[in-house]
Amino acid sequence: MVTTSVDERHPGFGGQGDGHGGHATHDVANQPAPLAPYDASDDIALLEGLRREGAGWAEEDLRRLGRLAGSAQVQEWSEQANRHEPELRTHDRYGHRIDEVAFHPSWHHLMRTAVAEGLAAAPWADDRPGAHVARTAGGLVWGHTDAGHGCPTSMTYAAVPVLRRQPELAKVYEPLLTSREYEPGLRVPTEKRGLLAGMGMTEKQGGSDVRTNTTTATPTAEPGVYALRGHKWFTSAPMCDVFLVLAQAPGGLSCFLVPRVLPDGTRNTFRIQRLKDKLGNRSNASSEPEFDGTAAWLVGPEGQGVKTIIEMVNCTRLDCVMMSAALMRKTLVEAGHHVRHRSAFGARLVDQPLMRNVLADLALESEAATTLTLRLAGAADRAVRGDAGEAAFRRIATAVGKYWVTKRGPAFTAEALECLGGNGYVEESGMPRHYREAPLLSIWEGSGNVNALDVLRALGRDPATAQALLDELALSRGADARLDAAVVRLKDLLAEGAQVNARRLVERMALTLQGSLLVRHAPPAVADAFCATRLGGDWGHAFGTLPAAAGLDALVDRALPDTA
Ligand SMILES: Cc1cc2nc3c(=O)[nH]c(=O)nc-3n(C[C@H](O)[C@H](O)[C@H](O)COP(=O)(O)OP(=O)(O)OC[C@H]3O[C@@H](n4cnc5c(N)ncnc54)[C@H](O)[C@@H]3O)c2cc1C
């Protein structure tokens, strides 16, 4: 590994020219320079996965996006969008109800770039095999910026396959949702160049259990159009143009399309009671809307609301895995940069064996998360093109990945933050923001238990899903004895199917799948360290507990770009 000391690369940071660094009492020394600008796509596991899953054609664009994501400008937008939080404006200055949310310009810069780069719904209008993989890979590098605006781009992506259930609505809205133009502001949807979509499922009395929804949908004189009355307890990104909403129609819980502005230019009733004061995800607005005579268009058959909207959840769950993997990678790169340019006890932190173990363990986890994310994206891409085997694999593996990768996020980001010592605990480092984001990804789109139970549901209802997973695992049979043994144990657990064991089962599924992918696709040092720890029983409870035999240098060198 080529290493350069802090003082060689950043003489200014080791002591300012005036000898005081702006301070009368001391020079500023041993403080790393900011990471940006850097290349967020400088990630071997990401680039290998991109090619393997059929989107090698997108590499040049991905590299460009990676440099943009890591630029000082975009990192600044990300920080600003979170520092200057969205504001609810219920009324205009004359007292008219407007129910709008005002965002800092940085939010709009981020949104405009994300939509233009195809990170919203563009892949649905792209026939090239691998288009969905390219979007996921784009999300992995753009995830180094601000996570909050990933919410409306994700929901817009996920709304398209649902709308296809109602072809006459899809005909109108799909070309606008798949557009690469970001046009903020509430106007008649069909008069805009690009649209964003949100979703409203969760109510006060139940989020995971949406069958308890009390919002009613009463048919109007116009066929297919209903009037909604009720509320939602969480509806993020309320400045989206259209929402997919669940409500109780005469035939049962149904899915509806709710535009914020009606075709005649008047506002649809969408009273925003307030915005949530959240742990993280603060650049994004999450609202509590109320519906009262709100016009809504039925999507899919009455009474099939959950079945209809579930495709949206499948897509957003993949994005939760992607965003967790992106947060891991971002915080790993920040940690690696810091320890390369910070010394303690006479040596650079990166050269100290115990810090090297922490970095290597984080690198291992990050690569496992990235590799799984791209495999899931590949399955999604092939499934939407009609591959039944991949559809079965996607059905189960997305829920497995959502459970496990998002569950690892908070522990991972906390450990990466700690690599920066006290600096990591300070907002200016950006690490607290990433840390606060991590738990959200395991809450929304199905919390941990709900995802684990969803895996049981898939196994129970569709045996093809278990078979698809086992077929995938069989591809690595014989390559590593610890992995083979883990597959045997997994088969025993699969036969149990008890709710109380769902987390045990899904955790084993996730680790075995990650092990199988790494054995097939990663260098021996990575695969060996993963199998020894995550599958072979030699695993500590904290990061940084890899056995000394694990090729720590190889893991660190593969994972960490040489940041200046
Ligand atoms: C920042 C943010 C933004 C959001 N944005 C949106 C949005 O745009 N649209 C939207 O519709 N929703 C949104 N949500 C809501 C989110 O999807 C729900 O909070 C989530 O699905 C959990 O539902 P709940 O809050 O009702 O919790 P509950 O359903 O009450 O769950 C509480 C706990 O019980 C567990 N649990 C539930 N059922 C079982 C069971 N059978 N067995 C064991 N454990 C169980 C859950 O895993 C969870 O840990 C958002 C939430 C947040 C935090």
Side-chain angles (χ1 to χ4, degrees):
M1 182 175 50
V2 179
T3 53
T4 310
S5 77
V6 180
D7 292 340
E8 286 162 351
R9 302 284 291 255
H10 304 288
F13 285 81
Q16 303 294 321
D18 63 2
H20 301 297
H23 300 278
T25 58
H26 62 282
D27 291 337
V28 178
N30 198 26
Q31 288 282 352
L35 170 62
Y38 71 103
D39 180 355
S41 66
D42 191 0
D43 176 352
I44 297 169
L46 165 73
L47 296 172
E48 289 178 353
L50 179 84
R51 295 175 206 131
R52 192 167 56 241
E53 298 298 338
W57 50 264
E59 188 165 337
E60 208 175 301
D61 276 343
L62 188 73
R63 298 306 303 246
R64 185 182 44 72
L65 188 64
R67 288 189 292 275
L68 188 62
S71 68
Q73 172 73 87
V74 172
Q75 292 294 312
E76 173 76 6
W77 288 347
S78 308
E79 200 269 329
Q80 294 282 319
N82 284 276
R83 197 167 285 278
H84 304 284
E85 295 179 7
E87 279 177 19
L88 175 60
R89 308 226 167 116
T90 53
H91 296 80
D92 69 10
R93 57 188 287 205
Y94 305 104
H96 302 110
R97 187 113 207 178
I98 55 170
D99 298 292
E100 294 192 6
V101 178
F103 291 89
H104 189 264
S106 297
W107 166 270
H108 295 298
H109 295 322
L110 289 164
M111 284 297 303
R112 184 166 292 108
T113 312
V115 172
E117 295 290 343
L119 302 182
W124 298 109
D126 188 341
D127 286 339
R128 283 174 293 183
H132 295 268
V133 177
R135 174 188 174 273
T136 303
L140 285 169
V141 303
W142 197 247
H144 286 230
T145 66
D146 155 67
H149 77 290
C151 171
T153 53
S154 176
M155 292 191 295
T156 302
Y157 171 64
V160 170
V162 178
L163 268 185
R164 286 182 176 175
R165 302 254 171 148
Q166 203 65 40
E168 72 278 10
L169 291 178
K171 196 170 160 210
V172 175
Y173 289 101
E174 186 171 329
L176 296 166
L177 291 167
T178 56
S179 157
R180 288 178 181 241
E181 289 208 50
Y182 172 62
E183 205 186 315
L186 297 181
R187 280 187 291 288
V188 177
T190 49
E191 292 174 6
K192 294 181 73 171
R193 294 190 305 275
L195 299 180
L196 296 172
M199 98 180 136
M201 297 196 286
T202 309
E203 296 186 3
K204 293 189 175 91
Q205 68 284 352
S208 310
D209 187 1
V210 291
R211 294 168 308 174
T212 63
N213 275 193
T214 58
T215 296
T216 56
T218 309
T220 67
E222 197 178 329
V225 184
Y226 293 63
L228 303 190
R229 185 176 165 78
H231 80 284
K232 293 292 161 185
W233 183 228
F234 281 94
T235 295
S236 289
M239 288 303 284
C240 287
D241 302 281
V242 294
F243 290 82
L244 288 167
V245 171
L246 290 182
Q248 301 285 0
L253 192 65
S254 310
C255 180
F256 295 92
L257 181 80
V258 174
R260 287 220 51 191
V261 180
L262 296 169
D264 66 3
T266 57
R267 294 273 170 106
N268 207 359
T269 304
F270 193 101
R271 285 190 215 116
I272 302 178
Q273 310 292 316
R274 57 177 177 163
L275 299 184
K276 302 286 193 187
D277 183 10
K278 298 175 287 185
L279 170 66
N281 196 254
R282 296 191 76 94
S283 63
N284 183 26
S286 298
S287 73
E288 299 170 14
E290 198 173 41
F291 307 126
D292 193 3
T294 304
W297 279 255
L298 183 68
V299 180
E302 258 194 35
Q304 303 271 309
V306 174
K307 207 171 170 193
T308 304
I309 212 163
I310 203 69
E311 185 55 26
M312 186 164 194
V313 178
N314 279 336
C315 292
T316 53
R317 280 184 183 169
L318 170 60
D319 282 5
C320 289
V321 184
M322 168 192 87
M323 188 49 76
S324 290
L327 281 179
M328 288 184 190
R329 180 71 194 168
K330 166 65 171 168
T331 54
L332 171 66
V333 173
E334 291 278 1
H337 174 71
H338 186 90
V339 301
R340 278 220 174 101
H341 298 298
R342 173 90 171 172
S343 299
F345 301 101
R348 292 186 322 154
L349 288 171
V350 72
D351 295 327
Q352 313 226 13
L354 191 50
M355 180 58 89
R356 199 152 261 264
N357 198 328
V358 173
L359 274 185
D361 210 356
L362 291 174
L364 187 58
E365 191 72 27
S366 172
E367 175 152 357
T370 297
T371 304
L372 178 57
T373 303
L374 289 165
R375 175 67 187 90
L376 297 177
D381 194 87
R382 290 182 280 276
V384 301
R385 288 168 218 290
D387 184 326
E390 286 289 88
F393 176 75
R394 175 200 188 200
R395 168 68 186 91
I396 196 156
T398 305
V400 168
K402 161 72 163 88
Y403 172 78
W404 182 243
V405 177
T406 66
K407 206 43 84 197
R408 298 290 282 162
F412 186 108
T413 47
E415 195 64 61
L417 179 156
E418 190 174 319
C419 290
L420 275 69
N423 283 3
Y425 201 69
V426 174
E427 290 292 337
E428 281 173 322
S429 72
M431 300 299 265
R433 172 160 64 86
H434 304 311
Y435 174 63
R436 287 193 299 267
E437 193 69 30
L440 175 57
L441 295 157
S442 75
I443 292 175
W444 63 9
E445 309 311 324
S447 307
N449 287 353
V450 171
N451 262 278
L453 294 173
D454 187 46
V455 172
L456 289 192
R457 191 174 309 114
L459 292 171
R461 284 191 187 164
D462 185 0
T465 58
Q467 194 54 51
L469 184 77
L470 293 174
D471 289 348
E472 175 82 10
L473 298 177
L475 297 173
S476 53
R477 190 185 299 139
D480 186 291
R482 295 157 300 191
L483 177 58
D484 289 345
V487 175
V488 171
R489 285 198 303 274
L490 180 63
K491 283 181 179 163
D492 292 341
L493 270 178
L494 275 170
E496 286 180 15
Q499 278 203 23
V500 70
N501 287 333
R503 281 187 179 226
R504 280 167 62 84
L505 171 66
V506 177
E507 180 174 318
R508 297 317 303 176
M509 287 169 111
L511 291 171
T512 312
L513 178 56
Q514 287 182 321
S516 170
L517 290 168
L518 293 179
V519 160
R520 275 184 284 148
H521 306 305
V526 174
D528 183 59
F530 192 91
C531 291
T533 53
R534 276 71 169 164
L535 300 176
D538 191 3
W539 197 17
H541 291 285
F543 284 104
T545 51
L546 295 179
L552 302 185
D553 288 347
L555 293 177
V556 172
D557 291 350
R558 173 173 166 84
L560 290 175
D562 197 5
T563 50

